[in-house]
Amino acid sequence: MSYEVLILRRAQRELAELPSEAYQRVKEAILNLANQPRPRGSRKLSGREGWRIRVGNYRVVYEIDDTQQTITILHVGHRRDVYRS
């Protein structure tokens, strides 16, 4: 059971701005979400809709739609910045 991963344009820009070593690790983590949308260590966000995974000091915020089997990446960034609106 594989999910389709969609990345918002804003998240694509945030991902492209990451340092190269972090970019590779975050990209791998995002691709792994297709096979396991709720990996060990993922958390449901309390202040808003969505889930998050940690990749070192970086966070990936995403939404899961189980009926359509899609994952939408909303934000990618450093942990100090990613939760701000």
Side-chain angles (χ1 to χ4, degrees):
M1 177 162 94
S2 184
Y3 283 66
E4 181 182 6
V5 178
L6 308 170
I7 303 177
L8 294 182
R9 187 175 304 272
R10 172 180 56 207
Q12 288 176 353
R13 281 193 300 264
E14 293 168 347
L15 183 61
E17 292 173 1
L18 294 179
S20 62
E21 83 280 346
Y23 173 84
Q24 290 299 325
R25 291 190 357 235
V26 171
K27 184 175 121 182
E28 254 182 60
I30 289 172
L31 293 176
N32 288 336
L33 288 174
N35 296 323
Q36 190 173 6
R38 295 173 184 90
R40 187 170 180 219
S42 65
R43 290 237 171 126
K44 181 140 177 50
L45 297 177
S46 60
R48 65 188 225 198
E49 291 294 316
W51 292 74
R52 70 111 168 116
I53 55 172
R54 293 173 40 180
V55 183
N57 284 332
Y58 296 91
R59 303 294 183 263
V60 178
V61 178
Y62 61 98
E63 290 180 341
I64 302 170
D65 185 351
D66 288 317
T67 58
Q68 295 186 353
Q69 292 193 330
T70 60
I71 295 172
T72 305
I73 308 298
L74 304 174
H75 290 290
V76 176
H78 195 276
R79 64 188 180 101
R80 71 175 171 253
D81 300 325
V82 79
Y83 302 110
R84 297 180 186 160
S85 298

Coordinates of all heavy atoms in Angstrom, one line a residue:
M1 N 0.9 -1.2 0.0 CA 0.0 0.0 0.0 C 0.9 1.2 0.0 O 1.5 1.6 1.0 CB -0.9 0.0 1.2 CG -1.8 1.2 1.4 SD -3.1 0.9 2.5 CE -2.4 1.5 4.0
S2 N 1.0 1.9 -1.1 CA 1.8 3.0 -1.3 C 1.0 4.3 -1.5 O 0.0 4.3 -2.2 CB 2.7 2.8 -2.5 OG 3.6 3.9 -2.6
Y3 N 1.4 5.4 -0.8 CA 0.8 6.6 -0.9 C 1.5 7.5 -2.0 O 2.6 7.3 -2.2 CB 0.8 7.4 0.4 CG -0.1 6.9 1.5 CD1 -0.1 5.6 2.0 CD2 -1.2 7.7 1.9 CE1 -0.9 5.1 3.0 CE2 -2.1 7.2 2.9 CZ -1.9 6.0 3.4 OH -2.8 5.5 4.3
E4 N 0.7 8.4 -2.5 CA 1.3 9.4 -3.5 C 1.7 10.6 -2.6 O 1.0 11.1 -1.8 CB 0.2 9.8 -4.5 CG 0.8 10.8 -5.5 CD -0.3 11.2 -6.5 OE1 -1.5 10.9 -6.3 OE2 0.0 12.0 -7.4
V5 N 2.9 11.1 -2.9 CA 3.5 12.2 -2.1 C 3.4 13.5 -3.0 O 3.9 13.5 -4.1 CB 4.9 12.0 -1.7 CG1 5.5 13.2 -1.0 CG2 5.0 10.8 -0.8
L6 N 2.7 14.5 -2.5 CA 2.5 15.8 -3.2 C 3.3 16.8 -2.4 O 3.1 16.8 -1.2 CB 1.1 16.1 -3.3 CG 0.1 15.1 -4.0 CD1 -1.3 15.5 -3.8 CD2 0.5 14.9 -5.4
I7 N 4.0 17.7 -3.0 CA 4.7 18.7 -2.3 C 4.2 20.1 -2.8 O 4.3 20.4 -4.0 CB 6.2 18.6 -2.6 CG1 6.7 17.2 -2.2 CG2 7.0 19.7 -1.8 CD1 8.2 17.0 -2.4
L8 N 3.8 20.9 -1.9 CA 3.3 22.3 -2.2 C 4.5 23.1 -2.7 O 5.7 22.8 -2.4 CB 2.7 23.0 -1.0 CG 1.4 22.4 -0.4 CD1 1.0 23.3 0.8 CD2 0.3 22.3 -1.5
R9 N 4.2 24.0 -3.6 CA 5.3 24.9 -4.2 C 6.1 25.6 -3.1 O 7.3 25.6 -3.2 CB 4.6 25.9 -5.1 CG 5.7 26.7 -5.9 CD 5.0 27.6 -6.9 NE 4.1 27.0 -7.8 CZ 4.5 26.4 -9.0 NH1 5.8 26.4 -9.3 NH2 3.6 25.8 -9.8
R10 N 5.5 26.0 -2.0 CA 6.2 26.7 -0.9 C 7.1 25.7 -0.3 O 8.3 26.0 0.0 CB 5.2 27.2 0.1 CG 5.8 27.7 1.3 CD 4.8 28.2 2.3 NE 3.8 27.2 2.6 CZ 2.6 27.4 3.0 NH1 2.1 28.6 3.1 NH2 1.8 26.4 3.3
A11 N 6.7 24.5 -0.1 CA 7.6 23.4 0.5 C 8.7 23.1 -0.4 O 9.8 22.8 0.0 CB 6.7 22.2 0.9
Q12 N 8.5 23.1 -1.7 CA 9.5 22.8 -2.7 C 10.6 23.9 -2.6 O 11.8 23.6 -2.6 CB 9.0 22.8 -4.1 CG 8.2 21.6 -4.4 CD 7.6 21.7 -5.8 OE1 7.7 22.7 -6.5 NE2 6.9 20.6 -6.3
R13 N 10.2 25.1 -2.4 CA 11.2 26.2 -2.3 C 12.0 26.1 -1.0 O 13.2 26.2 -0.9 CB 10.5 27.6 -2.3 CG 10.2 28.1 -3.7 CD 9.8 29.5 -3.7 NE 8.7 29.8 -2.9 CZ 7.4 29.9 -3.4 NH1 7.2 29.7 -4.6 NH2 6.4 30.2 -2.5
E14 N 11.3 25.7 0.1 CA 11.9 25.6 1.4 C 12.9 24.4 1.3 O 14.0 24.5 1.9 CB 10.9 25.3 2.5 CG 10.0 26.5 2.8 CD 8.8 26.1 3.6 OE1 8.5 24.9 3.8 OE2 8.1 27.1 4.1
L15 N 12.6 23.3 0.7 CA 13.4 22.2 0.5 C 14.7 22.5 -0.3 O 15.8 22.2 0.1 CB 12.7 21.0 -0.1 CG 13.4 19.7 -0.3 CD1 13.8 19.1 1.0 CD2 12.5 18.7 -1.1
A16 N 14.5 23.3 -1.4 CA 15.6 23.7 -2.2 C 16.6 24.6 -1.5 O 17.8 24.6 -1.8 CB 15.1 24.4 -3.5
E17 N 16.2 25.3 -0.5 CA 17.0 26.3 0.2 C 17.8 25.6 1.4 O 18.7 26.2 2.0 CB 16.2 27.4 0.8 CG 15.6 28.3 -0.2 CD 14.6 29.3 0.3 OE1 14.4 29.4 1.6 OE2 14.1 30.1 -0.5
L18 N 17.6 24.3 1.6 CA 18.3 23.6 2.7 C 19.8 23.4 2.3 O 20.1 23.3 1.1 CB 17.7 22.3 3.0 CG 16.3 22.3 3.6 CD1 15.8 20.8 3.8 CD2 16.2 23.0 4.9
P19 N 20.7 23.3 3.3 CA 22.1 22.9 3.0 C 22.1 21.5 2.3 O 21.2 20.7 2.6 CB 22.7 22.9 4.4 CG 21.9 23.6 5.3 CD 20.5 23.6 4.7
S20 N 23.1 21.3 1.5 CA 23.1 20.0 0.7 C 23.0 18.7 1.5 O 22.3 17.8 1.1 CB 24.3 20.0 -0.2 OG 25.5 20.0 0.6
E21 N 23.7 18.6 2.6 CA 23.6 17.4 3.4 C 22.3 17.2 4.0 O 21.7 16.1 4.1 CB 24.8 17.3 4.4 CG 24.5 18.0 5.8 CD 24.7 19.5 5.7 OE1 25.4 20.0 4.8 OE2 24.3 20.1 6.7
A22 N 21.7 18.3 4.5 CA 20.3 18.2 5.0 C 19.3 17.9 3.9 O 18.3 17.2 4.2 CB 20.0 19.5 5.8
Y23 N 19.5 18.5 2.8 CA 18.6 18.3 1.6 C 18.5 16.8 1.3 O 17.4 16.3 1.2 CB 19.1 19.1 0.4 CG 18.3 18.8 -0.8 CD1 17.2 19.5 -1.1 CD2 18.8 17.8 -1.8 CE1 16.4 19.2 -2.3 CE2 18.1 17.6 -2.9 CZ 16.9 18.2 -3.2 OH 16.2 18.0 -4.3
Q24 N 19.6 16.1 1.3 CA 19.6 14.7 0.9 C 18.8 13.9 2.0 O 18.0 13.0 1.7 CB 21.0 14.1 0.8 CG 21.7 14.6 -0.5 CD 21.0 14.2 -1.7 OE1 20.4 13.2 -1.8 NE2 21.0 15.1 -2.7
R25 N 19.0 14.2 3.3 CA 18.4 13.4 4.3 C 16.9 13.7 4.4 O 16.1 12.8 4.6 CB 19.0 13.7 5.7 CG 20.4 13.2 5.8 CD 21.1 13.3 7.1 NE 20.3 13.9 8.2 CZ 20.8 14.9 8.9 NH1 22.0 15.4 8.7 NH2 20.0 15.4 9.9
V26 N 16.5 15.0 4.2 CA 15.1 15.3 4.2 C 14.4 14.7 3.0 O 13.3 14.2 3.1 CB 14.9 16.9 4.3 CG1 13.5 17.3 4.1 CG2 15.4 17.4 5.6
K27 N 15.0 14.8 1.9 CA 14.4 14.2 0.6 C 14.2 12.7 0.8 O 13.1 12.2 0.4 CB 15.3 14.5 -0.6 CG 14.8 14.0 -1.9 CD 15.7 14.4 -3.0 CE 16.1 13.2 -3.7 NZ 17.0 13.4 -4.8
E28 N 15.1 12.0 1.4 CA 14.9 10.6 1.6 C 13.8 10.3 2.6 O 13.0 9.4 2.4 CB 16.2 10.0 2.3 CG 17.0 9.2 1.4 CD 18.2 8.6 2.1 OE1 18.1 7.9 3.1 OE2 19.3 8.9 1.6
A29 N 13.7 11.1 3.6 CA 12.6 11.0 4.6 C 11.2 11.2 4.0 O 10.3 10.5 4.2 CB 12.8 11.9 5.8
I30 N 11.2 12.2 3.1 CA 9.9 12.5 2.4 C 9.5 11.3 1.5 O 8.4 10.9 1.4 CB 10.0 13.8 1.6 CG1 10.1 15.0 2.6 CG2 8.9 14.0 0.6 CD1 10.4 16.3 1.9
L31 N 10.5 10.8 0.7 CA 10.2 9.7 -0.1 C 9.8 8.4 0.6 O 8.9 7.7 0.2 CB 11.4 9.4 -1.0 CG 11.8 10.4 -2.0 CD1 13.1 10.1 -2.8 CD2 10.6 10.7 -3.0
N32 N 10.3 8.2 1.8 CA 9.9 7.1 2.7 C 8.5 7.2 3.2 O 7.9 6.2 3.6 CB 10.9 6.9 3.8 CG 12.3 6.4 3.4 OD1 12.4 5.8 2.3 ND2 13.3 6.7 4.2
L33 N 8.0 8.4 3.2 CA 6.6 8.6 3.7 C 5.6 7.9 2.8 O 4.5 7.5 3.2 CB 6.2 10.1 3.8 CG 6.9 10.9 4.9 CD1 6.5 12.4 4.7 CD2 6.4 10.4 6.2
A34 N 6.0 7.7 1.5 CA 5.1 7.0 0.6 C 4.8 5.6 1.0 O 3.7 5.1 0.9 CB 5.7 7.0 -0.8
N35 N 5.7 4.9 1.6 CA 5.6 3.6 2.1 C 5.1 3.5 3.5 O 4.4 2.5 3.9 CB 6.9 2.8 2.0 CG 7.3 2.7 0.6 OD1 6.5 2.5 -0.3 ND2 8.6 2.8 0.3
Q36 N 5.4 4.5 4.3 CA 5.0 4.5 5.7 C 4.7 5.9 6.1 O 5.5 6.7 6.6 CB 6.1 3.9 6.6 CG 5.7 3.7 8.0 CD 6.8 3.0 8.8 OE1 7.9 2.8 8.3 NE2 6.5 2.6 10.0
P37 N 3.4 6.3 6.0 CA 3.0 7.7 6.2 C 3.1 8.1 7.7 O 3.2 9.3 8.0 CB 1.5 7.7 5.8 CG 1.1 6.3 5.7 CD 2.3 5.5 5.5
R38 N 3.1 7.1 8.6 CA 3.2 7.5 10.0 C 4.4 6.7 10.6 O 4.3 5.8 11.4 CB 1.9 7.1 10.8 CG 0.8 7.9 10.4 CD -0.5 7.4 11.0 NE -1.7 8.2 10.5 CZ -2.4 7.8 9.4 NH1 -2.1 6.7 8.7 NH2 -3.4 8.5 9.0
P39 N 5.6 7.1 10.2 CA 6.8 6.4 10.7 C 7.0 6.6 12.2 O 6.4 7.4 12.8 CB 8.0 7.0 9.9 CG 7.5 8.4 9.6 CD 6.0 8.3 9.4
R40 N 7.8 5.7 12.8 CA 8.2 5.8 14.2 C 8.8 7.2 14.4 O 9.6 7.7 13.7 CB 9.2 4.7 14.5 CG 9.5 4.7 16.0 CD 10.3 3.4 16.2 NE 10.6 3.4 17.7 CZ 11.7 3.0 18.2 NH1 12.7 2.6 17.4 NH2 11.9 3.0 19.5
G41 N 8.3 7.9 15.5 CA 8.8 9.2 15.8 C 7.9 10.3 15.2 O 8.1 11.5 15.6
S42 N 7.0 10.0 14.3 CA 6.1 11.0 13.8 C 5.1 11.4 14.8 O 4.8 10.6 15.7 CB 5.4 10.6 12.5 OG 4.5 9.5 12.8
R43 N 4.6 12.7 14.8 CA 3.7 13.2 15.8 C 2.6 13.9 15.1 O 2.8 14.6 14.1 CB 4.4 14.2 16.7 CG 5.4 13.5 17.6 CD 5.0 13.8 19.1 NE 5.8 13.1 20.0 CZ 6.5 13.6 20.9 NH1 6.5 14.9 21.1 NH2 7.2 12.8 21.8
K44 N 1.4 13.8 15.6 CA 0.3 14.6 15.2 C 0.4 16.0 15.8 O 0.7 16.1 17.0 CB -1.1 13.9 15.6 CG -2.3 14.7 15.1 CD -3.3 13.7 14.7 CE -4.6 14.4 14.3 NZ -4.4 15.5 13.3
L45 N 0.2 17.0 15.0 CA 0.3 18.4 15.5 C -0.9 18.7 16.4 O -2.0 18.4 16.0 CB 0.5 19.4 14.4 CG 1.8 19.2 13.6 CD1 1.8 20.2 12.4 CD2 3.0 19.3 14.4
S46 N -0.7 19.5 17.5 CA -1.8 19.8 18.4 C -2.4 21.1 18.0 O -3.6 21.3 18.2 CB -1.3 19.8 19.8 OG -0.3 20.7 20.0
G47 N -1.7 22.1 17.6 CA -2.2 23.4 17.3 C -2.9 23.6 16.0 O -3.5 24.6 15.7
R48 N -2.7 22.6 15.1 CA -3.2 22.7 13.7 C -3.3 21.3 13.1 O -2.8 20.4 13.7 CB -2.4 23.6 12.9 CG -1.0 23.1 12.6 CD -0.1 24.2 12.0 NE 0.6 23.6 10.9 CZ 1.7 24.1 10.3 NH1 2.1 25.3 10.7 NH2 2.3 23.6 9.4
E49 N -3.9 21.2 11.9 CA -4.0 20.0 11.3 C -2.6 19.5 10.8 O -1.8 20.3 10.4 CB -4.9 20.1 10.0 CG -6.3 20.3 10.4 CD -6.9 19.1 11.1 OE1 -6.7 18.0 10.7 OE2 -7.6 19.3 12.1
G50 N -2.4 18.2 10.8 CA -1.2 17.7 10.2 C -0.3 16.9 11.1 O -0.6 16.7 12.3
W51 N 0.8 16.4 10.5 CA 1.7 15.5 11.2 C 3.1 16.1 11.0 O 3.3 17.0 10.1 CB 1.7 14.1 10.6 CG 0.5 13.4 10.9 CD1 -0.8 13.5 10.3 CD2 0.3 12.3 11.9 NE1 -1.6 12.7 10.9 CE2 -1.0 11.9 11.8 CE3 1.2 11.7 12.7 CZ2 -1.5 10.9 12.6 CZ3 0.7 10.7 13.5 CH2 -0.6 10.3 13.5
R52 N 4.1 15.7 11.7 CA 5.5 16.2 11.5 C 6.4 15.0 11.8 O 6.2 14.1 12.6 CB 5.8 17.3 12.4 CG 5.9 17.0 13.9 CD 7.4 17.1 14.3 NE 7.5 17.1 15.7 CZ 8.1 16.1 16.4 NH1 8.7 15.2 15.8 NH2 8.2 16.2 17.7
I53 N 7.5 15.0 11.0 CA 8.6 14.1 11.3 C 9.9 15.0 11.5 O 10.0 16.1 11.0 CB 8.9 13.1 10.1 CG1 9.1 13.8 8.8 CG2 7.8 12.1 10.1 CD1 9.5 12.9 7.7
R54 N 10.8 14.4 12.3 CA 12.1 15.1 12.6 C 13.1 14.5 11.7 O 13.2 13.2 11.5 CB 12.4 14.9 14.0 CG 11.5 15.5 15.0 CD 11.9 15.2 16.4 NE 13.3 15.1 16.6 CZ 13.8 14.7 17.8 NH1 13.1 14.5 18.8 NH2 15.2 14.7 17.9
V55 N 14.0 15.3 11.2 CA 15.2 14.9 10.4 C 16.3 15.7 10.9 O 16.6 16.8 10.4 CB 15.0 15.0 8.9 CG1 16.2 14.5 8.1 CG2 13.7 14.3 8.4
G56 N 16.9 15.3 12.0 CA 18.0 16.1 12.6 C 17.3 17.4 13.2 O 16.4 17.3 13.9
N57 N 17.9 18.6 12.8 CA 17.3 19.8 13.3 C 16.2 20.4 12.4 O 15.7 21.5 12.5 CB 18.4 20.9 13.3 CG 19.3 20.7 14.6 OD1 18.9 20.2 15.6 ND2 20.5 21.1 14.5
Y58 N 15.8 19.6 11.4 CA 14.8 20.0 10.4 C 13.5 19.2 10.6 O 13.5 18.1 11.1 CB 15.3 19.8 9.0 CG 16.5 20.7 8.7 CD1 17.8 20.3 8.9 CD2 16.3 22.0 8.3 CE1 18.9 21.1 8.8 CE2 17.4 22.8 8.1 CZ 18.7 22.4 8.3 OH 19.8 23.2 8.2
R59 N 12.4 19.9 10.2 CA 11.1 19.3 10.4 C 10.4 19.3 9.0 O 10.5 20.2 8.2 CB 10.3 20.0 11.4 CG 10.9 20.2 12.8 CD 11.0 18.8 13.5 NE 11.5 19.0 14.8 CZ 12.8 18.8 15.2 NH1 13.7 18.5 14.2 NH2 13.2 18.9 16.4
V60 N 9.6 18.2 8.8 CA 8.7 18.1 7.7 C 7.3 18.1 8.2 O 6.9 17.2 9.0 CB 9.0 16.9 6.8 CG1 8.1 16.8 5.7 CG2 10.5 16.9 6.4
V61 N 6.5 19.1 7.8 CA 5.1 19.1 8.3 C 4.2 18.7 7.1 O 4.4 19.2 6.0 CB 4.7 20.5 8.7 CG1 3.2 20.6 9.1 CG2 5.5 21.0 9.9
Y62 N 3.3 17.7 7.3 CA 2.5 17.2 6.2 C 1.1 16.7 6.7 O 0.9 16.6 7.9 CB 3.3 16.0 5.6 CG 3.5 14.8 6.5 CD1 2.7 13.7 6.5 CD2 4.6 14.8 7.4 CE1 2.9 12.6 7.3 CE2 4.9 13.8 8.2 CZ 4.0 12.7 8.2 OH 4.3 11.6 9.0
E63 N 0.3 16.6 5.7 CA -1.1 16.1 5.9 C -1.2 14.7 5.3 O -0.7 14.5 4.2 CB -2.1 17.0 5.4 CG -2.2 18.3 6.2 CD -3.3 19.2 5.6 OE1 -3.7 19.1 4.5 OE2 -3.7 20.1 6.4
I64 N -2.0 13.8 5.9 CA -2.3 12.5 5.3 C -3.8 12.4 5.0 O -4.6 12.8 5.8 CB -2.0 11.4 6.3 CG1 -0.5 11.5 6.8 CG2 -2.3 10.0 5.8 CD1 -0.2 10.6 8.0
D65 N -4.1 12.0 3.7 CA -5.4 11.7 3.3 C -5.5 10.2 3.1 O -5.1 9.7 2.0 CB -5.8 12.5 2.1 CG -7.3 12.3 1.7 OD1 -8.0 11.5 2.2 OD2 -7.7 13.1 0.8
D66 N -6.1 9.5 4.0 CA -6.1 8.0 3.9 C -7.1 7.5 2.8 O -6.9 6.5 2.3 CB -6.5 7.4 5.3 CG -5.3 7.5 6.2 OD1 -4.2 7.2 5.8 OD2 -5.5 7.8 7.4
T67 N -8.2 8.3 2.6 CA -9.2 7.9 1.6 C -8.6 7.9 0.2 O -8.9 7.0 -0.6 CB -10.4 8.7 1.7 OG1 -10.1 10.1 1.5 CG2 -11.1 8.5 3.0
Q68 N -7.8 9.0 -0.1 CA -7.2 9.1 -1.5 C -5.8 8.6 -1.5 O -5.2 8.6 -2.5 CB -7.3 10.5 -1.9 CG -8.7 11.0 -2.1 CD -8.8 12.4 -2.8 OE1 -7.7 13.0 -2.9 NE2 -9.9 12.8 -3.1
Q69 N -5.3 8.2 -0.3 CA -3.9 7.7 -0.2 C -2.9 8.7 -0.7 O -2.1 8.4 -1.6 CB -3.7 6.3 -0.9 CG -4.5 5.2 -0.1 CD -4.1 3.9 -0.6 OE1 -3.6 3.7 -1.7 NE2 -4.1 2.9 0.3
T70 N -3.0 9.9 -0.2 CA -2.1 11.0 -0.6 C -1.5 11.6 0.7 O -2.1 11.6 1.7 CB -2.7 12.1 -1.4 OG1 -3.7 12.7 -0.6 CG2 -3.2 11.6 -2.7
I71 N -0.2 12.1 0.5 CA 0.5 12.8 1.6 C 0.8 14.1 0.9 O 1.5 14.2 -0.1 CB 1.7 12.1 2.0 CG1 1.3 10.8 2.7 CG2 2.5 12.9 3.0 CD1 2.4 9.9 3.0
T72 N 0.5 15.2 1.6 CA 0.8 16.6 1.1 C 1.8 17.2 2.0 O 1.5 17.4 3.2 CB -0.5 17.4 1.0 OG1 -1.5 16.8 0.2 CG2 -0.2 18.8 0.4
I73 N 3.0 17.5 1.5 CA 4.0 18.2 2.3 C 3.7 19.7 2.3 O 3.6 20.3 1.3 CB 5.4 17.9 1.6 CG1 5.7 16.5 1.4 CG2 6.5 18.6 2.5 CD1 5.7 15.6 2.6
L74 N 3.5 20.2 3.5 CA 3.2 21.6 3.7 C 4.4 22.5 3.9 O 4.4 23.6 3.4 CB 2.2 21.7 4.9 CG 0.9 20.9 4.8 CD1 0.1 21.0 6.1 CD2 0.1 21.3 3.6
H75 N 5.3 22.1 4.8 CA 6.4 22.9 5.2 C 7.6 22.0 5.4 O 7.5 20.9 5.9 CB 6.2 23.7 6.5 CG 5.2 24.8 6.4 ND1 5.4 25.9 5.7 CD2 4.0 24.9 6.9 CE1 4.3 26.7 5.8 NE2 3.4 26.1 6.5
V76 N 8.8 22.6 5.1 CA 10.1 21.9 5.4 C 11.0 23.0 5.9 O 11.1 24.1 5.2 CB 10.7 21.3 4.1 CG1 12.1 20.7 4.4 CG2 9.8 20.3 3.5
G77 N 11.6 22.8 7.0 CA 12.5 23.9 7.5 C 13.2 23.5 8.8 O 12.9 22.5 9.4
H78 N 14.0 24.5 9.3 CA 14.6 24.3 10.6 C 13.6 24.3 11.7 O 12.6 25.0 11.6 CB 15.7 25.4 10.8 CG 16.6 25.2 11.9 ND1 16.3 25.4 13.2 CD2 17.9 24.6 11.8 CE1 17.4 25.1 13.9 NE2 18.3 24.6 13.1
R79 N 13.9 23.6 12.8 CA 12.9 23.5 13.8 C 12.5 24.8 14.5 O 11.4 24.9 15.0 CB 13.4 22.5 14.9 CG 14.7 23.0 15.6 CD 15.2 21.9 16.5 NE 16.4 22.3 17.2 CZ 16.4 22.7 18.4 NH1 15.3 22.7 19.2 NH2 17.6 23.1 19.0
R80 N 13.3 25.8 14.4 CA 13.0 27.1 15.1 C 12.0 27.9 14.2 O 11.4 28.8 14.7 CB 14.2 27.9 15.4 CG 14.9 28.4 14.2 CD 16.1 29.3 14.5 NE 16.8 29.6 13.3 CZ 18.0 29.1 13.0 NH1 18.6 28.4 13.8 NH2 18.5 29.5 11.8
D81 N 11.9 27.6 12.9 CA 11.2 28.4 12.0 C 9.9 27.7 11.4 O 9.0 28.4 11.0 CB 12.0 28.8 10.8 CG 13.2 29.6 11.2 OD1 13.1 30.3 12.1 OD2 14.3 29.4 10.5
V82 N 9.9 26.4 11.4 CA 8.9 25.7 10.6 C 7.4 25.8 11.2 O 6.5 25.8 10.4 CB 9.3 24.2 10.5 CG1 9.0 23.4 11.7 CG2 8.6 23.6 9.3
Y83 N 7.3 26.0 12.5 CA 5.9 26.1 13.1 C 5.3 27.5 13.0 O 4.2 27.7 13.3 CB 5.9 25.6 14.5 CG 6.4 24.2 14.6 CD1 7.7 23.8 15.1 CD2 5.7 23.1 14.0 CE1 8.1 22.5 15.2 CE2 6.1 21.8 14.1 CZ 7.3 21.5 14.6 OH 7.8 20.2 14.7
R84 N 6.1 28.5 12.6 CA 5.6 29.9 12.5 C 4.8 30.0 11.3 O 5.1 29.4 10.2 CB 6.8 30.9 12.5 CG 7.6 30.8 13.8 CD 8.7 31.8 13.8 NE 9.5 31.7 15.0 CZ 10.7 32.1 15.1 NH1 11.3 32.7 14.0 NH2 11.4 31.9 16.2
S85 N 3.8 30.9 11.3 CA 2.9 31.1 10.1 C 3.5 32.0 9.1 O 4.2 32.9 9.4 CB 1.6 31.6 10.6 OG 1.0 30.7 11.4

